[in-house]
Amino acid sequence: MDGRHGQSSNPYELTDDTPVYVISVAAQLSGLHPQTLRQYDRLGLVSPDRAAGRGRRYSARDIQLLRQVQRLSQDEGINLAGIKRIIELENQVAALQARVVELQQAVEGAAVAMRQREAQVHASYRRDLVPYQDVSQSSALVVWRPDRRRR
């Protein structure tokens, strides 16, 4: 299994990434000829998983990608090299978006930990100490009288 298919806790659970369709079924579902699917695989446009006997197994996500390749090629007139680059960039954007979410969660977790630690520090203050107030910012008058008995 390659890195793009997620592992689930239930090995029998079907997801959009589960490789279940043989090439003939994938060709029917995508509206393409099986030879076109083989060519797309050779070019790296849509690379399905391989079964134990090395036969291609397409997932629902692969079928969607095949349809996207067909639409870009036929409707938009984009050549296969351009389509490959578009797919690579879309995959890169998706990976970066996932990384941003991961980093945002890490930052939020660090902020929560910092606030908890700050609360612990504030809770540990000695209550018998009086905060110092800078005299230069006070309007109070202070009279100082030296203690003459100490000489």
mmCIF file of all heavy atoms in Angstrom, residues 134-151:
data_model
loop_
_atom_site.group_PDB
_atom_site.id
_atom_site.type_symbol
_atom_site.label_atom_id
_atom_site.label_comp_id
_atom_site.label_asym_id
_atom_site.label_seq_id
_atom_site.Cartn_x
_atom_site.Cartn_y
_atom_site.Cartn_z
ATOM 1 N N ASP A 134 6.069 52.569 42.216
ATOM 2 C CA ASP A 134 7.101 53.542 41.878
ATOM 3 C C ASP A 134 6.651 54.923 42.358
ATOM 4 O O ASP A 134 5.584 55.403 41.994
ATOM 5 C CB ASP A 134 7.351 53.556 40.374
ATOM 6 C CG ASP A 134 8.548 54.395 39.991
ATOM 7 O OD1 ASP A 134 9.252 54.877 40.884
ATOM 8 O OD2 ASP A 134 8.767 54.554 38.770
ATOM 9 N N VAL A 135 7.483 55.569 43.183
ATOM 10 C CA VAL A 135 7.154 56.868 43.773
ATOM 11 C C VAL A 135 7.066 57.948 42.710
ATOM 12 O O VAL A 135 6.259 58.864 42.803
ATOM 13 C CB VAL A 135 8.196 57.252 44.852
ATOM 14 C CG1 VAL A 135 7.907 58.635 45.418
ATOM 15 C CG2 VAL A 135 8.208 56.215 45.939
ATOM 16 N N SER A 136 7.857 57.831 41.648
ATOM 17 C CA SER A 136 7.846 58.874 40.620
ATOM 18 C C SER A 136 6.503 58.952 39.906
ATOM 19 O O SER A 136 6.179 59.971 39.327
ATOM 20 C CB SER A 136 8.966 58.635 39.608
ATOM 21 O OG SER A 136 8.719 57.436 38.911
ATOM 22 N N GLN A 137 5.726 57.905 39.975
ATOM 23 C CA GLN A 137 4.418 57.923 39.328
ATOM 24 C C GLN A 137 3.297 58.169 40.333
ATOM 25 O O GLN A 137 2.145 58.154 39.990
ATOM 26 C CB GLN A 137 4.178 56.601 38.607
ATOM 27 C CG GLN A 137 5.119 56.382 37.456
ATOM 28 C CD GLN A 137 4.831 55.082 36.736
ATOM 29 O OE1 GLN A 137 3.861 54.414 37.017
ATOM 30 N NE2 GLN A 137 5.690 54.738 35.797
ATOM 31 N N SER A 138 3.656 58.419 41.564
ATOM 32 C CA SER A 138 2.663 58.639 42.599
ATOM 33 C C SER A 138 2.623 60.134 42.941
ATOM 34 O O SER A 138 3.623 60.833 42.870
ATOM 35 C CB SER A 138 3.028 57.824 43.837
ATOM 36 O OG SER A 138 2.168 58.161 44.903
ATOM 37 N N SER A 139 1.494 60.591 43.353
ATOM 38 C CA SER A 139 1.386 61.990 43.773
ATOM 39 C C SER A 139 1.463 62.120 45.289
ATOM 40 O O SER A 139 1.287 63.202 45.826
ATOM 41 C CB SER A 139 0.071 62.582 43.256
ATOM 42 O OG SER A 139 -1.012 61.858 43.808
ATOM 43 N N ALA A 140 1.745 61.027 45.970
ATOM 44 C CA ALA A 140 1.824 61.059 47.430
ATOM 45 C C ALA A 140 3.098 61.756 47.885
ATOM 46 O O ALA A 140 4.139 61.669 47.241
ATOM 47 C CB ALA A 140 1.787 59.644 47.982
ATOM 48 N N LEU A 141 3.004 62.407 48.997
ATOM 49 C CA LEU A 141 4.139 63.109 49.589
ATOM 50 C C LEU A 141 4.715 62.212 50.662
ATOM 51 O O LEU A 141 3.998 61.719 51.535
ATOM 52 C CB LEU A 141 3.678 64.438 50.191
ATOM 53 C CG LEU A 141 4.734 65.247 50.904
ATOM 54 C CD1 LEU A 141 5.812 65.687 49.917
ATOM 55 C CD2 LEU A 141 4.104 66.449 51.583
ATOM 56 N N VAL A 142 6.021 61.987 50.606
ATOM 57 C CA VAL A 142 6.691 61.148 51.585
ATOM 58 C C VAL A 142 7.683 62.008 52.345
ATOM 59 O O VAL A 142 8.505 62.706 51.750
ATOM 60 C CB VAL A 142 7.431 59.979 50.903
ATOM 61 C CG1 VAL A 142 8.170 59.146 51.930
ATOM 62 C CG2 VAL A 142 6.451 59.135 50.120
ATOM 63 N N VAL A 143 7.583 61.986 53.654
ATOM 64 C CA VAL A 143 8.502 62.756 54.499
ATOM 65 C C VAL A 143 9.470 61.768 55.109
ATOM 66 O O VAL A 143 9.089 60.772 55.711
ATOM 67 C CB VAL A 143 7.730 63.520 55.598
ATOM 68 C CG1 VAL A 143 8.696 64.258 56.503
ATOM 69 C CG2 VAL A 143 6.723 64.448 54.980
ATOM 70 N N TRP A 144 10.752 62.110 54.983
ATOM 71 C CA TRP A 144 11.778 61.228 55.534
ATOM 72 C C TRP A 144 12.440 61.911 56.693
ATOM 73 O O TRP A 144 12.877 63.059 56.606
ATOM 74 C CB TRP A 144 12.817 60.918 54.456
ATOM 75 C CG TRP A 144 13.929 60.051 54.967
ATOM 76 C CD1 TRP A 144 13.873 58.758 55.294
ATOM 77 C CD2 TRP A 144 15.267 60.471 55.206
ATOM 78 N NE1 TRP A 144 15.072 58.287 55.709
ATOM 79 C CE2 TRP A 144 15.970 59.346 55.657
ATOM 80 C CE3 TRP A 144 15.958 61.677 55.091
ATOM 81 C CZ2 TRP A 144 17.314 59.373 56.021
ATOM 82 C CZ3 TRP A 144 17.290 61.698 55.424
ATOM 83 C CH2 TRP A 144 17.956 60.555 55.891
ATOM 84 N N ARG A 145 12.493 61.252 57.786
ATOM 85 C CA ARG A 145 13.162 61.776 58.969
ATOM 86 C C ARG A 145 14.183 60.751 59.408
ATOM 87 O O ARG A 145 13.831 59.620 59.729
ATOM 88 C CB ARG A 145 12.171 62.018 60.087
ATOM 89 C CG ARG A 145 11.207 63.113 59.738
ATOM 90 C CD ARG A 145 10.397 63.483 60.931
ATOM 91 N NE ARG A 145 9.477 64.530 60.522
ATOM 92 C CZ ARG A 145 8.301 64.717 61.009
ATOM 93 N NH1 ARG A 145 7.859 63.922 61.953
ATOM 94 N NH2 ARG A 145 7.545 65.687 60.589
ATOM 95 N N PRO A 146 15.410 61.146 59.414
ATOM 96 C CA PRO A 146 16.446 60.190 59.841
ATOM 97 C C PRO A 146 16.307 59.858 61.315
ATOM 98 O O PRO A 146 15.908 60.695 62.120
ATOM 99 C CB PRO A 146 17.739 60.914 59.546
ATOM 100 C CG PRO A 146 17.391 62.352 59.508
ATOM 101 C CD PRO A 146 15.956 62.456 59.086
ATOM 102 N N ASP A 147 16.626 58.681 61.629
ATOM 103 C CA ASP A 147 16.597 58.237 63.016
ATOM 104 C C ASP A 147 17.916 58.641 63.641
ATOM 105 O O ASP A 147 18.952 58.064 63.342
ATOM 106 C CB ASP A 147 16.385 56.712 63.077
ATOM 107 C CG ASP A 147 16.157 56.224 64.473
ATOM 108 O OD1 ASP A 147 16.042 57.067 65.380
ATOM 109 O OD2 ASP A 147 16.115 54.983 64.639
ATOM 110 N N ARG A 148 17.913 59.590 64.539
ATOM 111 C CA ARG A 148 19.156 60.127 65.096
ATOM 112 C C ARG A 148 19.660 59.263 66.257
ATOM 113 O O ARG A 148 20.750 59.478 66.747
ATOM 114 C CB ARG A 148 18.920 61.560 65.576
ATOM 115 C CG ARG A 148 18.597 62.440 64.393
ATOM 116 C CD ARG A 148 18.453 63.859 64.858
ATOM 117 N NE ARG A 148 17.995 64.656 63.718
ATOM 118 C CZ ARG A 148 18.679 65.641 63.195
ATOM 119 N NH1 ARG A 148 19.795 66.010 63.738
ATOM 120 N NH2 ARG A 148 18.193 66.305 62.176
ATOM 121 N N ARG A 149 18.927 58.341 66.719
ATOM 122 C CA ARG A 149 19.360 57.522 67.841
ATOM 123 C C ARG A 149 20.410 56.489 67.460
ATOM 124 O O ARG A 149 21.066 55.936 68.305
ATOM 125 C CB ARG A 149 18.171 56.805 68.440
ATOM 126 C CG ARG A 149 17.237 57.747 69.172
ATOM 127 C CD ARG A 149 16.099 56.999 69.749
ATOM 128 N NE ARG A 149 15.095 56.851 68.698
ATOM 129 C CZ ARG A 149 14.084 56.029 68.711
ATOM 130 N NH1 ARG A 149 13.925 55.210 69.698
ATOM 131 N NH2 ARG A 149 13.213 55.990 67.742
ATOM 132 N N ARG A 150 20.623 56.186 66.249
ATOM 133 C CA ARG A 150 21.508 55.102 65.817
ATOM 134 C C ARG A 150 22.964 55.505 65.768
ATOM 135 O O ARG A 150 23.804 54.675 65.529
ATOM 136 C CB ARG A 150 21.089 54.596 64.446
ATOM 137 C CG ARG A 150 19.843 53.777 64.520
ATOM 138 C CD ARG A 150 19.695 53.034 63.267
ATOM 139 N NE ARG A 150 18.590 52.105 63.397
ATOM 140 C CZ ARG A 150 18.105 51.394 62.450
ATOM 141 N NH1 ARG A 150 18.626 51.488 61.265
ATOM 142 N NH2 ARG A 150 17.112 50.590 62.678
ATOM 143 N N ARG A 151 23.379 56.678 65.906
ATOM 144 C CA ARG A 151 24.780 57.080 65.786
ATOM 145 C C ARG A 151 25.606 56.695 66.909
ATOM 146 O O ARG A 151 25.752 56.374 67.889
ATOM 147 C CB ARG A 151 24.880 58.565 65.589
ATOM 148 C CG ARG A 151 24.335 58.910 64.262
ATOM 149 C CD ARG A 151 24.667 60.311 64.006
ATOM 150 N NE ARG A 151 24.156 60.653 62.689
ATOM 151 C CZ ARG A 151 24.183 61.823 62.193
ATOM 152 N NH1 ARG A 151 24.714 62.810 62.853
ATOM 153 N NH2 ARG A 151 23.714 62.077 61.042
#
